[in-house]
Amino acid sequence: MSTIDDAAKFFNAYLDIEYMGSMAVYSEPDEVVNERRTSSMRFWHASPGTPLSPSFGRPMGMGSDQLAQLARTVSLARRTLFLVAEYRGHEGDSIYAGLVSGDRARTAESYGGLLYATEVDGDLKIIASYKEDFDKVSPPVHWRHSQGVEIDLLGPPIAVRPFEAPIGQPAHLGDWEKLRDSVTDR
């Protein structure tokens, strides 16, 4: 059975792989990008009828000149894991929420996504991805389903592991502080 600390290690390992994949998109041949996508997919579990895919990719067959031009247009950053929260699922299992930053230098200090993971056949797997719902006023930050299963949490978190505070937007910081302080298990 996984713990919240296992979930934090899992999310960070995924963010490492995702960053390597994002970097490969702008500098590596198609084979390397495909290898990185395959490595990334090992962290995901798609239930039947609920597609999931990594957040990076590009059209295949791009030449080195095209890649160099593409690379000049982006300033990548490894996503930061701001906080992991543990929730009880409907079956009594643990569902872990990982709040992560954006993957660009300009979004690295703000929320960029919400990932949910749970044990699948004894291993942690990402089962859903959410993005901020900008149509709703924060705080609290509102999330909209992006891919994977739709998560319906039963209540507040039972454990929280804060790491780094998002400082890019006041609403994100306020949301992070409220979640950090919502339980005593840290």
Side-chain angles (χ1 to χ4, degrees):
M1 175 164 268
S2 299
T3 67
I4 193 169
D5 295 320
D6 296 330
K9 290 176 190 171
F10 170 80
F11 283 127
N12 271 313
Y14 170 71
L15 296 175
D16 288 341
I17 294 291
E18 180 192 54
Y19 179 66
M20 290 189 307
S22 294
M23 294 294 290
V25 164
Y26 297 96
S27 61
E28 300 292 340
D30 293 347
E31 299 77 31
V32 174
V33 173
N34 286 334
E35 288 171 15
R36 298 286 192 262
R37 284 184 63 80
T38 299
S39 294
S40 173
M41 288 305 296
R42 291 186 187 115
F43 286 82
W44 295 80
H45 174 76
S47 297
T50 56
L52 284 172
S53 66
S55 62
F56 63 89
R58 69 163 191 245
M60 296 294 113
M62 295 180 79
S64 58
D65 290 342
Q66 289 173 301
L67 287 177
Q69 183 176 354
L70 191 60
R72 286 191 292 273
T73 66
V74 68
S75 179
L76 294 175
R78 182 200 178 274
R79 288 183 192 249
T80 300
L81 179 62
F82 293 125
L83 180 142
V84 174
E86 180 180 1
Y87 296 88
R88 280 288 165 246
H90 291 281
E91 307 296 320
D93 53 336
S94 291
I95 296 175
Y96 300 99
L99 288 165
V100 299
S101 72
D103 63 354
R104 304 291 195 259
R106 70 182 187 289
T107 62
E109 295 180 335
S110 299
Y111 286 169
L114 173 60
L115 301 173
Y116 285 101
T118 194
E119 279 193 18
V120 176
D121 298 327
D123 293 318
L124 283 171
K125 297 289 183 177
I126 297 169
I127 58 169
S129 174
Y130 281 68
K131 302 289 183 197
E132 185 174 359
D133 188 345
F134 294 106
D135 292 337
K136 296 182 179 173
V137 178
S138 299
V141 173
H142 298 275
W143 298 96
R144 65 177 164 74
H145 180 253
S146 176
Q147 61 177 337
V149 296
E150 290 197 48
I151 303 297
D152 180 28
L153 299 172
L154 293 175
I158 59 171
V160 173
R161 288 292 182 275
F163 298 105
E164 186 175 322
I167 57 172
Q169 294 186 35
H172 294 179
L173 177 59
D175 186 78
W176 182 89
E177 289 172 336
K178 184 176 179 183
L179 191 54
R180 177 198 62 194
D181 298 340
S182 66
V183 295
T184 57
D185 179 14
R186 285 187 263 153

